[in-house]
Structures are given as structure tokens and as C-alpha cells.
Amino acid sequence: MLAIELISDSIPPAHTSDSIQKVMERMLEFRIRHLPIVNDQQFLGLISDSDLIEEGDYQASIGSLALSLVNPYVLEDQHIYDVIRLFYEQQLTIVPVLDAKKTYLGLITINTLTEYFAKLTSVSDPGGIIVLEISNKNNSLAHMAQIVESDNAQILSSYVRTFPDSTRMEVTLKVNKVDISAIVATFMRYEYEIKATLN
């Protein structure tokens, strides 16, 4: 999935002629803490609610303020992982999306990202969850899939969590069966360490 596919059209950007009051009201309305400033489709940077809170004249335009704008964005063809990393590293509530010529195309909200992640991990599909702890040299998703499929089930989603300064990792599998007892028994027979199971 690419950044362009997650753009939300519902939140208009701010313009340098907008008043502080208008920008703050828009942030409140959409429950966000950041808003891109755009003039003639040119992205100027992100303004945050903390930039505006100390200002005394709420009728002043944001273009008249001496703001230290941060300039995080992703390009339309960047992968969703780049978007997630930017949200995490910059603690953002929205991420602007630009084209190769740096023209503003729209933004991705944290809510849109959450919806995408829910679909990615199959949270709404019925099934069980198995959490394994393995060493990184035994990380064979093909073998894990073979174990799951031996009980006429399929892996709907999986993800891996690593630990600093450790050769151990945690693998979470969402399978399309609610009764996972036979699958868990097979993992144990192959000496996998089961950290947790959830139905």
C-alpha cells in the first residue's frame, strides 16, 4: 500500500491568510493537533496547536506569525511503513502527502492509519491468535504456515516483534479458526514456545 491510497479529503489545509482562530477551530473540529499550511498547492510546513496557544491576537493571520514550522511529509509513492515511521518518530496526528514536484496532494490522518492497520491485521475476522517466542534463527514462516494448514486453517495475518540485545523474537499469528487447541498442540510438539493464545 502506498501513501497516495490513504489520503483523506475531509480535512482542508490551512492557508497563510487564515486566522489563528480559524486554524484552531479546524483542529478542534477534526480532533487533530497538526495542520498543513498550503498556498497554491505548495506545502509550506506543519503548524501545531502548541504553536498557536501562546498567541494573544486570535484574529491575526498565521502568515504574520514567526513560526518554526516543521516540514515532515511523505511522497505519494512511499510505502505505508514510511508513513507509520513518520507518525511515530514525529508524534504527528496527520502526515502531508506530496507528489514528486512537492505539490500538496492531501493528508493522512492517524484515524485512517488505524483503520488500515485494523484491516491489515484482520482484527474483524473471526479466529484465534497464537503468540510464539522463537529464536531468530528458527524464524520460518513457511514452517509455521505448514503447522497451521495441517489443521485445515490459514494464517490471516502475522507480525514479528524483536527485542533489543536479544536473539529471541515474538511472532503473532492470527488464524481463521476459533478453536486453535489442535494447532497449539502441534506447535508444542515441534517445540515452539507458546507465549499466549487468544480466541
Side-chain angles (χ1 to χ4, degrees), residues 86-107:
L86 199 55
F87 268 110
Y88 173 71
E89 289 176 355
Q90 301 284 327
Q91 297 295 299
L92 300 173
T93 54
I94 61 99
V95 168
V97 181
L98 312 181
D99 68 12
K101 295 178 181 176
K102 303 294 192 319
T103 303
Y104 178 78
L105 300 175
L107 57 83

Side-chain angles (χ1 to χ4, degrees), residues 94-195:
I94 61 99
V95 168
V97 181
L98 312 181
D99 68 12
K101 295 178 181 176
K102 303 294 192 319
T103 303
Y104 178 78
L105 300 175
L107 57 83
I108 300 170
T109 66
I110 193 76
N111 290 343
T112 303
L113 189 65
T114 303
E115 289 170 17
Y116 171 75
F117 190 72
K119 290 175 189 170
L120 181 72
T121 55
S122 303
V123 294
S124 61
D125 295 332
I129 298 169
I130 304 166
V131 182
L132 308 169
E133 186 171 322
I134 62 173
S135 69
N136 57 11
K137 64 180 177 231
N138 293 335
N139 183 14
S140 170
L141 191 55
H143 188 247
M144 292 176 217
Q146 185 180 18
I147 291 171
V148 170
E149 291 165 4
S150 71
D151 192 42
N152 295 320
Q154 292 178 326
I155 296 175
L156 297 174
S157 70
S158 65
Y159 61 90
V160 175
R161 188 175 98 173
T162 57
F163 302 99
D165 303 323
S166 174
T167 60
R168 305 292 289 166
M169 58 176 48
E170 189 178 274
V171 178
T172 301
L173 305 172
K174 170 82 182 262
V175 299
N176 67 345
K177 267 188 138 176
V178 176
D179 181 7
I180 54 174
S181 55
I183 298 171
V184 170
T186 307
F187 273 117
M188 292 172 74
R189 196 164 51 250
Y190 280 99
E191 299 181 351
Y192 280 87
E193 185 179 335
I194 310 292
K195 272 191 89 171

Side-chain angles (χ1 to χ4, degrees), residues 24-39:
M24 290 187 77
E25 285 172 358
R26 191 170 297 157
M27 287 181 183
L28 281 171
E29 177 186 353
F30 292 104
R31 293 186 171 99
I32 54 176
R33 294 187 334 267
H34 304 89
L35 205 57
I37 299 176
V38 175
N39 279 346

